[in-house]
Amino acid sequence: MSGPAQKNYKTIREVLLAKGLISQEQSDEINLRQLKTGEIEENIIRDLRIISDDQLVEAKADFLKIPFVNLDDVGFSPEALALVPESVALKYRLFAYKLDTKAKNLYVTMVDPLDLETVEFLEKKTNLSVKTSMSLPKQIEEYIKEKYEREKGIASEVSKALDERKKDEKKVVINSKQVSAEAPVAKIVTTILEYAVKSRASDIHIEPQEESVRVRYRIDGILQEKYILPRNVHEAVVSRIKILSNLKIDEKRVPQDGRFFFSTDGQDVDLRISTLPTVYGEKVVMRLLKKSQKVPTLPDLGLRGRALKNVMEAIERPHGIIIVCGPTGSGKTTTLYSILDKVSTPKVNVMTIEDPVEYQIKGISQVQVNVQAGLTFAAALRSFLRQDPNIIMVGEIRDTETAELAINAALTGHLVFSTLHTNDASGVPPRMLDMGVEPFLLVSSLNCVVGQRVLRRVCKTCAQEADIPADIEKEMRTTLGPIIDVIEDKWKKDGKPIKMMKPVGCEECNNTGYLGRIAIYEVMPISEKIAKLIVEKKPASEIQRLAMEEGMLTMKQDGYVKVLEGVTTVDEVLRVAQY
């Protein structure tokens, strides 16, 4: 239940006032207009446009004491969907999103949850108790349109799989290779994979829970729940994935790793599979690597201006080391691939050691880590030096041995690229010193450090201009300093007050308001003054202060600049760069 639903409110206006969404003056205005014209209160509020549709529907749900549901947050069950025909959903403007077989409850969100006749009709049709809730009418309509079309396949295959399980338990548990590719469980897996490719997902999570199986997709860096499968098909789905990945089907006590190849709609995808035993069964995570994916350029990734100039100067040097830092999933490897794609020519020998190889670049010798065979980052790096390389990329500096070998390679005339897990650029030198690298060797070899994060772009189709709230503007001015004055002058020349973009949500961006990703960067070239601080083993805070004095934009500053350029939102910047 949303908002202050425990109280008894006589009108929606009272709910809005209690939640602080309207002022007393606005409340009086609504009341006066209703007394004068006799209009419905809800229509007056909508006509005045003083709150969003979401807020109005949520307030109405509070007033009626009915739960308000955001379908994007709760996911949905193909089993529940199969119980309500599409024609019924369209006619009565409702969407069945959850089925509780133990309690025999069907959860349905409706535009009009007080339509008791429809509720009674559903209960008779399904022999279940219908639990109603409210959602945005637009969202219900979009889910009916999108999900029924998309889920016809998976819903029917789930039903077939359950029917087969009743007939012959062994058939569904897929424990032999006699199961055909047309089997229902195989189609469930195919449907899950096809949706991942269409929605640009980077990972698929199949997570068993007490009563169901949750399927989530990481889209633009954010996990989104898309399917709730019945518990009965979990073993079958996992077994099918294991067969495709050449993993041991009967081994469920230890984690396993595998891979397989998948093709759909002309797109070839390499999938890396990881299984993990949990209390409710094996969890499967699949990483999708598109083979046809082009390597983006540095400006495409979001690097420009002085930061781009500093990176270009660093990679044009014939030797030295460039380190890209950030947490897992911050786009470090993609940035390195963009750099490699730029420096790779027939005149140089470029070699990489990666875990795993995510993009395949023509003209580059790429090697994948194989710890079981003894091929580690350090072992590969030693061999590389005997292969007459000009440029070496080490996927990650994880230990002292790799760090020392990378530094020595940079000192002996090679250009080396690598990544390191630190929060920001200024944290890299102290971390390298902690690993045992000598300060004088580090400053002699380190050309440049790049810190980065990845955030979502606002969808260009549906984004709307919005005023910047006073508290956010104050924070931006404090963080950006004189930079914001330059941006503000540009807006003034165009005859506009300074604004930012607000995500709305449409069919193209799957109603999230965001489509695609962009990186925010901080680039720290190693100047003489910074080198002196490194030799003196000064803390990261002092190194950062000096780098900013020398013109470095921090990731947060770069993020705020991109907000004012209409590329992303303040929420996204704070999500990834507030540390």
Side-chain angles (χ1 to χ4, degrees), residues 118-256:
T118 301
V119 173
E120 192 179 340
F121 164 73
L122 285 175
E123 287 184 333
K124 283 181 180 177
K125 181 174 175 56
T126 61
N127 290 320
L128 297 165
S129 175
V130 173
K131 303 293 181 186
T132 60
S133 57
M134 283 185 76
S135 297
L136 285 171
K138 182 185 171 187
Q139 190 180 51
I140 291 175
E141 286 162 13
E142 284 172 351
Y143 262 70
I144 292 169
K145 181 183 174 184
E146 179 192 347
K147 304 301 178 187
Y148 273 95
E149 188 61 39
R150 188 175 284 156
E151 308 315 318
K152 277 173 189 172
I154 198 163
S156 62
E157 300 310 329
V158 167
S159 300
K160 283 182 191 174
L162 291 172
D163 288 343
E164 284 199 12
R165 190 180 182 89
K166 288 172 188 172
K167 288 178 191 173
D168 184 354
E169 194 80 9
K170 290 179 184 175
K171 278 186 186 175
V172 183
V173 178
I174 311 185
N175 53 8
S176 71
K177 292 190 178 180
Q178 59 185 294
V179 178
S180 74
E182 294 302 311
V185 171
K187 285 187 179 177
I188 291 171
V189 173
T190 301
T191 307
I192 288 170
L193 294 174
E194 284 176 348
Y195 180 76
V197 175
K198 284 175 187 173
S199 61
R200 305 172 296 104
S202 60
D203 300 85
I204 307 168
H205 292 237
I206 300 174
E207 304 165 306
Q209 296 175 312
E210 191 174 0
E211 295 177 359
S212 60
V213 180
R214 180 169 68 171
V215 181
R216 294 192 290 173
Y217 295 88
R218 192 175 291 282
I219 302 169
D220 291 333
I222 304 292
L223 277 173
Q224 298 176 21
E225 188 173 299
K226 292 296 177 185
Y227 296 122
I228 300 290
L229 299 177
R231 191 75 174 82
N232 321 41
V233 298
H234 173 252
E235 272 191 58
V237 169
V238 172
S239 296
R240 173 65 186 166
I241 293 167
K242 282 184 172 181
I243 284 175
L244 294 169
S245 315
N246 290 319
L247 299 178
K248 294 176 183 175
I249 299 171
D250 55 346
E251 182 55 85
K252 301 175 184 179
R253 300 164 300 168
V254 296
Q256 295 187 70

Side-chain angles (χ1 to χ4, degrees), residues 317-350:
R317 293 182 190 176
H319 54 79
I321 185 166
I322 296 162
I323 294 178
V324 183
C325 66
T328 302
S330 60
K332 301 186 297 294
T333 309
T334 305
T335 298
L336 285 182
Y337 279 131
S338 297
I339 292 171
L340 286 177
D341 193 49
K342 188 157 188 67
V343 298
S344 175
T345 68
K347 295 178 180 179
V348 292
N349 178 20
V350 183

Side-chain angles (χ1 to χ4, degrees), residues 445-481:
S445 58
L446 192 59
N447 290 350
C448 178
V449 181
V450 180
Q452 71 175 85
R453 296 288 189 280
V454 173
L455 36 71
R456 294 181 292 172
R457 287 176 177 268
V458 289
C459 174
K460 290 179 181 176
T461 307
C462 62
Q464 295 177 356
E465 272 191 4
D467 293 326
I468 304 173
D471 56 333
I472 291 174
E473 187 176 344
K474 185 182 176 184
E475 153 71 6
M476 281 178 139
R477 288 187 183 280
T478 304
T479 304
L480 289 173

Side-chain angles (χ1 to χ4, degrees), residues 23 35 42 71 73 107 122 134 153 169 275 316 321 333 336 369 376 389 392 395 481 492 526 533 540-541 544 552 563:
S23 64
L35 291 171
E42 187 179 337
L71 289 170
D73 294 337
Y107 291 83
L122 285 175
M134 283 185 76
E169 194 80 9
T275 68
E316 282 166 6
I321 185 166
T333 309
L336 285 182
V369 166
T376 62
I392 298 170
K492 282 176 182 175
I526 307 302
L533 292 183
S541 55
Q544 185 180 52
M552 181 186 82
V563 168

Side-chain angles (χ1 to χ4, degrees), residues 10 45 87 130-131 165 169 252 297 315 327 390 512 535 540:
K10 294 177 183 177
I45 296 166
S87 57
V130 173
K131 303 293 181 186
R165 190 180 182 89
E169 194 80 9
K252 301 175 184 179
T297 65
I315 66 177
N390 298 100
T512 61
V535 171

Side-chain angles (χ1 to χ4, degrees), residues 270-464:
D270 200 9
L271 289 114
R272 307 297 163 93
I273 314 302
S274 172
T275 68
L276 181 73
T278 71
V279 288
Y280 294 123
E282 286 181 284
K283 174 178 174 174
V284 178
V285 174
M286 297 186 269
R287 166 65 59 90
L288 284 80
L289 303 170
K290 291 181 185 175
K291 291 200 168 184
S292 59
Q293 198 163 330
K294 281 187 176 181
V295 177
T297 65
L298 291 172
D300 287 343
L301 293 177
L303 197 61
R304 61 263 179 96
R306 187 168 183 169
L308 178 61
K309 181 175 175 283
N310 286 335
V311 170
M312 294 307 295
E313 285 176 359
I315 66 177
E316 282 166 6
R317 293 182 190 176
H319 54 79
I321 185 166
I322 296 162
I323 294 178
V324 183
C325 66
T328 302
S330 60
K332 301 186 297 294
T333 309
T334 305
T335 298
L336 285 182
Y337 279 131
S338 297
I339 292 171
L340 286 177
D341 193 49
K342 188 157 188 67
V343 298
S344 175
T345 68
K347 295 178 180 179
V348 292
N349 178 20
V350 183
M351 307 192 73
T352 76
I353 174 69
E354 306 168 55
D355 185 20
V357 173
E358 292 184 25
Y359 294 89
Q360 291 180 359
I361 306 174
K362 286 182 181 178
I364 290 179
S365 302
Q366 293 173 274
V367 179
Q368 183 154 315
V369 166
N370 187 340
V371 178
Q372 290 177 332
L375 184 58
T376 62
F377 283 116
L381 201 44
R382 277 199 204 88
S383 299
F384 281 6
L385 295 174
R386 295 191 290 273
Q387 290 280 321
D388 186 30
N390 298 100
I391 298 166
I392 298 170
M393 194 263 266
V394 184
E396 187 183 336
I397 294 175
R398 292 178 180 172
D399 51 47
T400 302
E401 187 182 11
T402 308
E404 288 176 345
L405 284 166
I407 294 292
N408 287 331
L411 288 169
T412 52
H414 305 91
L415 187 58
V416 181
F417 303 110
S418 192
T419 70
L420 196 66
H421 286 285
T422 62
N423 280 336
D424 51 28
S426 58
V428 167
R431 178 67 58 85
M432 294 289 281
L433 296 180
D434 288 343
M435 283 183 171
V437 176
E438 291 294 338
F440 69 93
L441 293 177
L442 182 61
V443 296
S444 301
S445 58
L446 192 59
N447 290 350
C448 178
V449 181
V450 180
Q452 71 175 85
R453 296 288 189 280
V454 173
L455 36 71
R456 294 181 292 172
R457 287 176 177 268
V458 289
C459 174
K460 290 179 181 176
T461 307
C462 62
Q464 295 177 356

